Amino acid sequence: MKLSESRNAGHMTAFLTILIWGTTFISTKVLLDDFEPFDILLLRFAIGYVALLAVHPRMVPFRRIREELLFAGAGLCGVTLYFLLENVALTYTLASNVGIIVSVAPFVTAVTSRLFLKEGRLDGLFFVGFAVAMSGVVLLTLQGSTVLKLNPIGDSLAALACVFWGIYSILTRKISRLGYHTIACTRRIFFYGLLFMLPVLLTKGLPGNLERLSDGANVANLLFLGLGASAVCFVTWNWSVGVLGPVQTSVYIYLVPVITVASAALILHEEITAAAVWGALLTVAGLVLSERRGIQTRGRLDKGASN
């Protein structure tokens, strides 16, 4: 596959991943009526692990402890800590706060990528795109109807979740360079993510209300989260990070609030306000500005490759 075709596929898979992730709140919202947040997290990644094992049973070989630490770190940061911190943050602060703070993840990823990988030069256009996108995220999340109320504990936990997602992006970039199959790598990451959930599981016990799995809606939503949002999306996201790098891939996270609002209107028939429309436009504009330098760089690389 040519460089340009590979990068185009990377952008497409990143967008499709975000398209699914932006709708997961609906399934989670339904499941929260019968399950606790940790139970949903454990079940979805257990389902995801089993699915990846069925599709690609071949394991990543154990070669060096350094490689294994990369997988363990990715599982700890991107699976266990990110989702646990995000869920706990929701118990302390408003969902709107968490939505806005988590959308800072592309900026955090860009900074960590620059510091540790020496990738992703942070020029003025990236910062302008970040500012424009974040203003759109604020409008989308608040929709002009509420005032942002700060909560030190909850907001700090949400911000910490962003930091761990940035670290996860760096680790998956390093993992992609090891040359192993993306599905096998993702399954190894899930394994460590589930392993690091054991202390919480031992403290609180097995998921309760398992009899609720007889409800078809609960089963469907868990399968969507486990198969779609976890098994498929983590594979496609990790592959995109390997192709595009963590910075260019992470800016697609700006689109999550846009997709969330749109899906809420289509599925839950929630009203879209004028503020939400302007917020969506600003968010997309910020994404385009943040990606513009990457597109220009890609053009230069493709031109050089053809010479």
Side-chain angles (χ1 to χ4, degrees):
M1 184 181 292
K2 295 181 180 179
L3 178 62
S4 60
E5 293 176 348
S6 178
R7 294 183 67 83
N8 287 336
H11 284 288
M12 180 61 68
T13 54
F15 173 75
L16 292 175
T17 302
I18 290 299
L19 188 63
I20 294 176
W21 278 349
T23 61
T24 55
F25 87 101
I26 297 176
S27 293
T28 303
K29 186 174 182 179
V30 172
L31 290 170
L32 282 172
D33 291 335
D34 294 324
F35 300 95
E36 295 183 16
F38 176 77
D39 296 340
I40 298 172
L41 175 63
L42 179 65
L43 289 170
R44 69 177 280 188
F45 280 101
I47 293 171
Y49 180 85
V50 172
L52 293 178
L53 181 62
V55 172
H56 189 85
R58 187 174 181 179
M59 297 181 62
V60 173
F62 180 86
R63 292 180 178 174
R64 292 181 292 272
I65 188 65
R66 186 170 177 271
E67 289 185 2
E68 210 62 26
L69 288 174
L70 289 176
F71 288 112
L76 176 64
C77 295
V79 176
T80 308
L81 291 179
Y82 175 78
F83 286 99
L84 278 179
L85 287 171
E86 188 178 80
N87 288 344
V88 174
L90 286 169
T91 66
Y92 284 97
T93 190
L94 300 175
S96 57
N97 290 37
V98 176
I100 291 171
I101 294 171
V102 169
S103 295
V104 182
F107 179 78
V108 176
T109 300
V111 173
T112 53
S113 178
R114 183 59 183 167
L115 289 175
F116 297 105
L117 295 178
K118 307 302 180 184
E119 292 182 1
R121 182 172 58 87
L122 304 181
D123 57 11
L125 201 58
F126 178 85
F127 287 103
V128 172
F130 169 74
V132 173
M134 284 308 301
S135 64
V137 168
V138 172
L139 278 175
L140 272 166
T141 306
L142 299 182
Q143 300 215 22
S145 60
T146 63
V147 176
L148 186 66
K149 297 179 182 179
L150 301 180
N151 181 288
I153 297 177
D155 296 343
S156 297
L157 290 174
L160 191 58
C162 285
V163 174
F164 281 116
W165 186 261
I167 297 173
Y168 170 76
S169 299
I170 301 305
L171 293 174
T172 51
R173 176 64 159 173
K174 288 180 174 291
I175 289 171
S176 70
R177 294 171 175 171
L178 299 177
Y180 302 126
H181 197 285
T182 304
I183 295 179
C185 290
T186 304
R187 194 176 79 244
R188 182 66 63 88
I189 291 171
F190 278 20
F191 168 77
Y192 280 109
L194 290 167
L195 186 65
F196 286 119
M197 290 182 200
L198 284 180
V200 180
L201 181 62
L202 293 174
T203 300
K204 70 180 295 299
L206 292 172
N209 288 341
L210 289 181
E211 68 277 4
R212 297 289 186 174
L213 292 178
S214 60
D215 186 328
N218 285 337
V219 173
N221 283 296
L222 276 173
L223 288 176
F224 172 70
L225 292 177
L227 300 179
S230 297
V232 174
C233 284
F234 269 79
V235 170
T236 55
W237 184 262
N238 293 344
W239 184 80
S240 294
V241 170
V243 174
L244 302 175
V247 178
Q248 277 192 274
T249 307
S250 290
V251 295
Y252 280 95
I253 293 175
Y254 292 144
L255 291 179
V256 169
V258 178
I259 296 168
T260 298
V261 171
S263 59
L266 290 173
I267 301 173
L268 301 180
H269 306 293
E270 294 183 1
E271 181 183 359
I272 297 182
T273 65
V277 174
W278 280 108
L281 292 174
L282 285 171
T283 303
V284 173
L287 169 65
V288 172
L289 287 172
S290 295
E291 284 282 20
R292 185 177 175 186
R293 181 178 57 81
I295 294 172
Q296 292 173 341
T297 302
R298 183 186 70 190
R300 290 195 295 270
L301 289 172
D302 291 345
K303 183 177 180 181
S306 63
N307 289 337

